[in-house]
Amino acid sequence: MSYIKLENLRKVYNKTIEAVKRFDLEIDKGEFIVFLGPSGCGKSTTMRMIAGLETVTGGDIFIDGESIINLEPRDRGISMIFQSYAVWPHMTVFDNVAYALKLRKLPKEQIKKIVDEVAVICDIKEHLERYPSQLSGGQRQRVAVARAIAVKPKLFLMDEPLSNLDAKLRVSMRTDLKRIHQDLGSTSIFVTHDQSEALSLADRIVVMNQGVIEQIGTPNEIYHTPESMFVAQFIGSPPANFFDVTVLVKGDKVMLSAKSFEFSVKKELEKKLKEYDGKQIVLAARPENFTVDKTGLIETEIIIVEPQGSHIVINVEVDGKEIKVVTDKLDLQVGQKIKLGLTDKYIVFDKDTTNRIY
Amino acid sequence: MNYKVKKALFYIFIFGVGFMFIIPLMYLTTTSLTSRVEINDFPRPMFPSLSHETQWEWDEANNRYTFYWENNSEEYIPLNYGDPEYLSEYLDAYLNVSITPDELEDKIESARLDGEIVDVRLSKSLFRNYGKFFDVFSGAEDAFVNSVKAAVYTIILSLSIGGSLGFAIARTNIKGKDAIGIGALIVRMFPTIAISVSAAVLLINFGLFDSMFGLAIVYSIPNIGLTAWITRGIFMGVNKELEEASLVFGASKLQTFYKITLPLVLPAFAASSMYAFITAWNDTGVALLLTNKNETLSLLLYSSIGGAGSVQYAAAGSLLLIIPALVFTFFLRKYINQLWG
Amino acid sequence: MDKIKTRKPFWKSPYMLVLPALIFYLIFWAGPVFSAVKEVFTSVDGGFSFETIFFLFEDDKFLPALGNTLLFAIVSIVLQFLLALALALFINRNFKGSSFFLFLMMIPMAIPIAAVGIIWDTGLTESGWFNSILSVTGIQWFLDTIGITDGAILWKGATGFKAIMLLVLIDTWTVLPSVMIIILAGLQNLNKEYSEAALVFGATRFQTVKHIIVPIIKPTIITALLLRIISGVQVWLIAVMVFDFDTVPFLVERIVYYNKFFYTDEYFKLSVAYSIFVMMLVMTIATIFLSANKKAERGRT
Ligand SMILES: Nc1ncnc2c1ncn2[C@@H]1O[C@H](COP(=O)(O)OP(=O)(O)OP(=O)(O)O)[C@@H](O)[C@H]1O
Ligand SMILES: [Mg+2]
């Protein structure tokens, strides 16, 4: 049986705003789950329902097989890192970390021992006597982490904990969080709308959109086999390119035909696409799914070149719209005529359901 | 369901709290609209009556009308008798009914002609007590004018002196800003009534005792500090670059002040003047100690208590005192934190 | 550059802006304070003496006035703070009509005290509106039945402690809403995540208020309570309007009483002595509160 189970969870605000429509998820012990989705898709709402900070409109939440939706937040065995850190300004770092332990009436020495332990883990040992106002943003963030891990929660909730940090610190905190998670093996849910954060941290990612789950999967699954056009488009930077193509069955072969190019599909796809004969589907190709060489099938001209160091991103026009292509041919110039080829990693979607065909 | 019940309970509670705080004022308003014959009703009505039910009878033997008035236990009790001339006056004085003798005669003459009892509903002139307040309390008009005068002088003193102090702290590099800040805080809290006792001697020497300007001086003691404090904040908040931009685009310094700075700081001056107004308008104690013959409205009302039979007029006067204060407080909502104390 | 700066004429100096305030406070604030001190330490016939000080301490009503004043100030501040905090916590949410509600709540504090006096002076008579409410709502009947009262309550007959509590209630009616509005403003500026964090980390709602919310908004609370207690110490008009002079003595009431009803120099000096005492009391309280505030703000900001 899974450790945590969210069953048919639903949240409606003020009877009208359906923030979370349906949410089903099972989490194993020790897993690091990331909720990913655009702003307003219901990530925070779901997390706050788990924390008990928001009432549940429908459905149930189980931890260790027990329903917790009628418990007060303090009885749920969770801890949380808030977006603003919520490190209490009138308490020293020590008191912040110790507060929850004091409420549990632990003996003084034990509290001190635990605080010292987590202070070492979070690298705030020297700041224990300071007030939050005397700390930098990153240090405050660490205090919030220390406070959260000190209580040894069954479940660890983090709502965009890194979004208030500058870019560089965000990346290094990310690594620290991952390390702490690996060391402690705590079950965690992490909310973000930053896909690179999600991809680098998660064991599994839950992609949400408009109150429903679009896909649950490992970072690789989410990236390489997105189940819907939304996921394909949301994940990846620069995002995937989409083309409307028509399926043409010519004898044995199945061809995909766009305005300016046509090619026969990979073997695995042929059977599935036969039933689409004559219909339009959507072809999605990530910028790195293209090749730039003389044998390519699409002729075009480079409009913009964006060097990124190890590779470059070029904009070219295909089928009347601009697409982005990533290549390591660093010497390409604006105005240069090139031929684009397509590797086998493309994906096709049903145009009506927007779901992946293959 | 649970949610609905909670919401309903919440609103009931809120309504109850709001009501509790408004009730005394409602009763005051009702009292101010109550005529003299109703003033001893118990329990007191929460809402004012708009008319009186009366019965009229012709007293053949004495050649006069007798009339009965329905009290709040719905009994008709005899109130008075006489000819329409006299009764019209009586109705005005005791029932707040304004009716000419001829009109009254028209209404009740069938009692005389047909020998019947006539029921007449007489509508009250609702705000009669407000007029009577000025008749009953001689000097009420002067007191009203005095209160306005004291308030206006206070505003002028506080704004001119406090405003320039505020500007100096915000915009110039004078020394001792901290000391001025602490000083402003101290005077803001200083008990004006305590200072009035010895200020009296000073004002007598200046010939300002028993004058509204003398009162305004004492009211200005906390308000200059307060004004300095508010305007300082605003002058600091007005972006200097805005002014500089105006200068760069060819305006003169004076034009810049009138066109850019003044409109931006106006709200602060408005707020400060409302405080000044309210300090002066609401005070009683200082006026009691520093005046002799020249009463303010608030002082007049204070001395009105205990006057038997005049409760309804005092209530009317109180509302005249309350309404301006209320209006100004309403405008002050944004700055309420500082007002309060 | 600085050295060749031309000297401005003195009337263009920024200190000219400070001068009016300085002169005003020297004459009308420092002057009276100084002359008050002088007045108290000179005898009626002109020499230095402690006469007035002795007179003050020997005054029968001095201790009652001091006690009543402190009792009133402390009870009312505690009561108002607790009620206002509870109310503010309860209505700290967006609900339909909240701005109208807050407007209603502001009305009592705008009312001049003379008018407050009239409201309650007429309200607390035997057949006043207060007893009317008790009677109409059945509360009177209930109290009569369980034997607490026997017929209409004679509020104005209250003396001693009861009288002061009655004044506290009147004062609470006048200022509770404003205390609540200030605390509410503090709560609304408070990041909601602070209290949510406390709830998640094991605090009950009560503990959250006590350990997190109140300490964080403490500076707001302290400033608010300071202004409140200072006006509490200056209570007199309500007492006089409801109970008349010399029945429930307060410090400021003594100032006015000795000043208005006695015409000898001794009593004038006594009234001045009371006023100095009040000034000192106010300044002492202010100092205590402000240093408490400094402590509360220490280590933050
Ligand atoms: N207290 C509330 N009352 C009413 N509507 C709310 C409330 N909180 C959130 N919502 C609405 O619910 C929806 C989901 O909000 P939620 O905060 O869960 O989004 P989110 O995915 O966390 O977005 P973000 O990435 O911007 O934080 C939004 O449309 C939001 O406007
Ligand atoms: Mg969110």
Side-chain angles (χ1 to χ4, degrees):
Chain A
M1 197 178 59
S2 55
Y3 184 53
I4 287 158
K5 190 170 168 198
L6 311 181
E7 202 175 79
N8 211 345
L9 211 52
R10 210 167 95 84
K11 176 69 190 184
V12 183
Y13 284 112
N14 306 331
K15 291 192 191 141
T16 48
I17 306 163
E18 208 174 5
V20 177
K21 297 192 181 106
R22 188 197 161 96
F23 199 99
D24 287 291
L25 177 67
E26 299 198 8
I27 304 174
D28 287 328
K29 201 161 189 159
E31 249 191 317
F32 199 116
I33 298 289
V34 173
F35 292 176
L36 178 64
S39 187
C41 70
K43 307 180 295 286
S44 298
T45 305
T46 309
M47 169 162 284
R48 291 167 59 81
M49 284 193 286
I50 301 172
L53 296 171
E54 209 73 74
T55 57
V56 171
T57 312
D60 212 337
I61 304 169
F62 301 93
I63 297 185
D64 255 349
E66 270 176 64
S67 168
I68 58 164
I69 54 169
N70 289 321
L71 298 182
E72 292 289 322
R74 65 173 181 279
D75 299 324
R76 296 187 176 203
I78 49 162
S79 73
M80 190 158 174
I81 301 177
F82 291 82
Q83 186 168 2
S84 69
Y85 318 143
V87 172
W88 300 302
H90 62 297
M91 296 183 184
T92 61
V93 171
F94 182 93
D95 290 335
N96 261 285
V97 179
Y99 182 69
L101 307 172
K102 284 181 188 159
L103 288 176
R104 278 165 212 201
K105 305 232 156 65
L106 296 186
K108 267 224 170 82
E109 314 81 68
Q110 200 184 339
I111 291 179
K112 192 163 178 333
K113 205 175 131 247
I114 296 176
V115 175
D116 283 345
E117 255 170 49
V118 298
V120 170
I121 296 175
C122 300
D123 196 18
I124 48 167
K125 192 93 178 64
E126 308 89 88
H127 311 316
L128 282 178
E129 293 314 313
R130 292 209 202 164
Y131 283 93
S133 61
Q134 300 160 323
L135 299 177
S136 70
Q139 288 165 339
R140 259 179 256 178
Q141 166 73 45
R142 286 164 193 282
V143 176
V145 175
R147 182 174 68 181
I149 62 178
V151 296
K152 304 207 167 56
K154 291 183 190 160
L155 174 62
F156 216 147
L157 302 174
M158 292 168 263
D159 191 353
E160 309 202 18
L162 305 179
S163 63
N164 282 343
L165 300 176
D166 65 56
K168 219 171 154 190
L169 205 53
R170 198 182 297 183
V171 175
S172 75
M173 266 316 285
R174 182 159 100 189
T175 316
D176 288 352
L177 279 181
K178 189 149 192 170
R179 182 175 304 129
I180 290 172
H181 172 253
Q182 278 169 4
D183 291 350
L184 302 178
S186 45
T187 315
S188 311
I189 299 178
F190 184 104
V191 164
T192 182
H193 53 233
D194 178 337
Q195 44 166 311
S196 74
E197 233 165 73
L199 292 169
S200 63
L201 282 171
D203 291 329
R204 282 194 297 155
I205 296 175
V206 177
V207 183
M208 294 181 69
N209 185 28
Q210 297 187 351
V212 294
I213 297 179
E214 289 276 339
Q215 184 173 359
I216 304 174
T218 63
N220 280 336
E221 284 166 0
I222 297 281
Y223 190 82
H224 294 293
T225 53
E227 289 300 334
S228 65
M229 277 170 66
F230 173 81
V231 178
Q233 171 193 310
F234 189 72
I235 308 279
S237 158
N241 303 298
F242 294 89
F243 305 95
D244 286 336
V245 293
T246 313
V247 181
L248 297 173
V249 182
K250 291 183 177 166
D252 265 358
K253 289 208 161 159
V254 178
M255 307 284 289
L256 292 182
S257 163
K259 259 184 255 151
S260 57
F261 61 92
E262 194 177 89
F263 65 98
S264 50
V265 300
K266 45 192 173 187
K267 274 257 158 350
E268 311 91 285
L269 245 176
E270 283 177 350
K271 243 172 98 185
K272 287 207 168 143
L273 280 185
K274 279 204 170 130
E275 58 187 278
Y276 285 89
D277 189 14
K279 287 191 191 150
Q280 279 214 329
I281 60 170
V282 177
L283 168 73
R286 294 204 180 276
E288 66 271 22
N289 293 157
F290 291 95
T291 56
V292 180
D293 56 29
K294 297 191 188 72
T295 64
L297 70 156
I298 311 164
E299 268 186 60
T300 180
E301 190 183 304
I302 299 177
I303 306 169
I304 291 174
V305 176
E306 294 171 13
Q308 302 283 321
S310 62
H311 59 273
I312 60 174
V313 179
I314 56 175
N315 281 23
V316 295
E317 196 184 295
V318 175
D319 259 19
K321 63 181 178 188
E322 267 185 45
I323 66 162
K324 281 185 188 287
V325 170
V326 170
T327 170
D328 52 8
K329 297 207 162 53
L330 301 177
D331 53 355
L332 293 177
Q333 301 292 329
V334 173
Q336 197 174 332
K337 295 230 160 31
I338 55 164
K339 283 185 167 180
L340 288 181
L342 196 58
T343 67
D344 268 356
K345 288 201 167 152
Y346 59 83
I347 309 161
V348 287
F349 293 97
D350 184 312
K351 199 165 185 183
D352 298 325
T353 63
T354 78
N355 287 337
R356 188 165 57 97
I357 301 169
Y358 185 83
Chain B
M1 181 58 204
N2 191 10
Y3 170 76
K4 267 189 186 165
V5 171
K6 264 190 183 164
K7 196 164 162 179
L9 285 177
F10 176 77
Y11 273 103
I12 290 173
F13 179 82
I14 287 297
F15 185 78
V17 170
F19 198 57
M20 220 166 74
F21 280 92
I22 289 313
I23 268 191
L25 205 59
M26 277 177 64
Y27 273 106
L28 183 75
T29 313
T30 301
T31 306
S32 80
L33 303 176
T34 303
S35 62
R36 204 156 150 185
V37 289
E38 299 165 293
I39 203 68
N40 293 321
D41 283 353
F42 186 88
R44 326 243 4 184
M46 196 179 290
F47 300 101
S49 65
L50 300 177
S51 61
H52 295 288
E53 297 293 345
T54 53
Q55 286 182 341
W56 300 75
E57 200 174 33
W58 179 250
D59 178 355
E60 198 64 64
N62 295 310
N63 202 23
R64 66 191 182 192
Y65 290 101
T66 307
F67 89 93
Y68 301 83
W69 170 74
E70 188 187 25
N71 68 10
N72 68 334
S73 8
E74 291 174 19
E75 300 153 359
Y76 279 90
I77 53 170
L79 268 193
N80 211 336
Y81 45 77
D83 57 13
E85 195 91 14
Y86 168 75
L87 286 173
S88 150
E89 268 173 38
Y90 179 84
L91 286 175
D92 181 44
Y94 283 79
L95 280 77
N96 283 4
V97 170
S98 306
I99 190 167
T100 62
D102 289 344
E103 282 167 350
L104 182 63
E105 176 86 54
D106 272 355
K107 288 200 173 175
I108 61 176
E109 67 187 351
S110 54
R112 174 163 54 88
L113 301 177
D114 309 340
E116 294 169 345
I117 293 179
V118 191
D119 283 305
V120 181
R121 160 179 288 172
L122 296 167
S123 33
K124 275 162 76 174
S125 47
L126 206 52
F127 295 101
R128 190 70 185 94
N129 288 342
Y130 289 79
K132 286 187 192 171
F133 168 71
F134 288 101
D135 302 336
V136 172
F137 293 99
S138 57
E141 272 161 67
D142 291 340
F144 191 89
V145 173
N146 277 342
S147 274
V148 174
K149 267 192 200 162
V152 170
Y153 294 150
T154 310
I155 292 174
I156 294 172
L157 276 176
S158 307
L159 256 54
S160 56
I161 302 180
S164 51
L165 184 60
F167 182 84
I169 306 175
R171 286 297 184 79
T172 66
N173 50 359
I174 54 167
K175 288 183 186 127
K177 286 183 185 178
D178 286 347
I180 296 176
I182 292 171
L185 192 66
I186 290 177
V187 292
R188 163 92 186 88
M189 293 183 300
F190 218 76
T192 45
I193 189 155
I195 217 165
S196 301
V197 182
S198 40
V201 184
L202 190 74
L203 292 182
I204 290 172
N205 291 339
F206 283 121
L208 290 173
F209 188 79
D210 201 18
S211 77
M212 291 309 119
F213 193 70
L215 286 184
I217 286 175
V218 177
Y219 297 147
S220 297
I221 290 176
N223 272 304
I224 290 174
L226 185 64
T227 306
W229 200 64
I230 296 176
T231 50
R232 181 204 73 118
I234 292 292
F235 276 121
M236 295 218 294
V238 173
N239 195 339
K240 253 196 156 160
E241 282 175 14
L242 289 177
E243 293 175 344
E244 284 163 2
S246 157
L247 290 174
V248 168
F249 287 115
S252 74
K253 264 197 163 174
L254 200 67
Q255 279 174 324
T256 302
F257 184 77
Y258 277 112
K259 294 254 163 72
I260 308 289
T261 317
L262 204 59
L264 287 172
V265 299
L266 219 52
F269 280 97
S272 308
S273 48
M274 287 175 210
Y275 285 123
F277 178 92
I278 288 176
T279 317
W281 187 262
N282 288 16
D283 166 77
T284 310
V286 175
L288 180 63
L289 291 178
L290 294 183
T291 60
N292 207 348
K293 291 196 221 65
N294 288 319
E295 283 183 316
T296 60
L297 186 58
S298 151
L299 189 54
L300 177 113
L301 283 167
Y302 154 78
S303 19
S304 79
I305 58 161
S310 61
V311 176
Q312 65 276 30
Y313 309 128
S318 300
L319 277 161
L320 291 178
L321 186 68
I322 288 171
I323 287 164
L326 209 55
V327 170
F328 277 73
T329 308
F330 179 73
F331 286 122
L332 266 181
R333 259 194 314 188
K334 251 174 68 187
Y335 302 85
I336 214 72
N337 285 8
Q338 288 111 38
L339 166 71
W340 176 69
Chain C
M1 269 302 273
D2 268 350
K3 277 180 193 157
I4 52 168
K5 179 172 77 178
T6 48
R7 258 187 97 84
K8 274 188 186 172
F10 75 90
W11 65 87
K12 278 194 175 172
S13 143
Y15 290 98
M16 289 306 289
L17 292 169
V18 182
L19 202 62
L22 193 69
I23 294 175
F24 181 91
Y25 281 113
L26 272 180
I27 299 178
F28 295 109
W29 180 73
V33 172
F34 177 74
S35 68
V37 174
K38 199 177 127 205
E39 188 74 41
V40 167
F41 286 105
T42 46
S43 64
V44 179
D45 40 35
F48 177 85
S49 106
F50 286 110
E51 255 172 39
T52 311
I53 307 291
F54 292 137
F55 195 27
L56 173 70
F57 290 128
E58 280 161 14
D59 181 13
D60 285 347
K61 291 282 170 69
F62 173 71
L63 283 180
L66 178 60
N68 286 348
T69 302
L70 292 181
L71 185 68
F72 174 87
I74 290 165
V75 174
S76 66
I77 197 178
V78 170
L79 182 74
Q80 287 157 12
F81 168 65
L82 293 179
L83 284 179
L85 180 66
L87 207 54
L89 285 169
F90 186 70
I91 66 168
N92 182 22
R93 59 181 103 175
N94 271 328
F95 60 93
K96 250 190 215 136
S98 59
S99 63
F100 179 69
F101 174 75
L102 290 180
F103 172 65
L104 277 192
M105 295 291 278
M106 273 173 43
I107 292 177
M109 89 176 132
I111 299 178
I113 300 185
V116 173
I118 288 185
I119 290 178
W120 293 95
D121 178 55
T122 56
L124 294 176
T125 54
E126 190 181 346
S127 59
W129 59 260
F130 201 83
N131 279 344
S132 300
I133 294 176
L134 295 187
S135 150
V136 169
T137 53
I139 296 174
Q140 182 73 55
W141 172 84
F142 177 74
L143 293 178
D144 284 348
T145 314
I146 62 170
I148 291 184
T149 57
D150 182 20
I153 302 169
L154 301 174
W155 300 98
K156 293 188 148 201
T159 51
F161 186 73
K162 280 186 195 161
I164 295 188
M165 290 308 113
L166 192 60
L167 293 174
V168 166
L169 290 182
I170 295 176
D171 189 58
T172 301
W173 172 75
T174 324
V175 301
L176 179 68
S178 60
V179 186
M180 187 206 68
I181 286 170
I182 291 180
I183 296 182
L184 199 59
L187 288 181
Q188 279 166 355
N189 286 332
L190 182 75
N191 183 349
K192 242 176 75 185
E193 292 192 343
Y194 286 137
S195 45
E196 290 181 348
L199 288 176
V200 165
F201 285 110
T204 61
R205 261 159 228 285
F206 179 74
Q207 285 169 327
T208 306
V209 171
K210 194 173 144 209
H211 298 154
I212 308 293
I213 295 179
V214 168
I216 294 181
I217 60 170
K218 205 164 162 189
T220 317
I221 292 177
I222 287 181
T223 328
L225 293 190
L226 169 63
L227 292 175
R228 218 28 266 138
I229 199 166
I230 283 178
S231 64
V233 167
Q234 296 178 61
V235 63
W236 75 280
L237 188 57
I238 282 292
V240 167
M241 287 182 83
V242 175
F243 293 115
D244 211 343
F245 274 108
D246 216 22
T247 35
V248 190
F250 284 103
L251 289 174
V252 174
E253 181 254 8
R254 292 289 97 186
I255 300 179
V256 180
Y257 182 65
Y258 291 129
N259 193 290
K260 271 295 179 193
F261 296 93
F262 296 82
Y263 301 97
T264 66
D265 270 358
E266 279 102 340
Y267 278 99
F268 176 71
K269 281 177 189 296
L270 182 59
S271 141
V272 175
Y274 268 103
S275 74
I276 288 185
F277 190 83
V278 169
M279 291 179 205
M280 281 172 17
L281 188 62
V282 166
M283 288 299 116
T284 312
I285 292 170
T287 315
I288 294 171
F289 263 81
L290 291 177
S291 61
N293 203 12
K294 249 198 194 137
K295 247 189 215 156
E297 275 177 345
R298 188 201 55 200
R300 305 205 226 158
T301 55

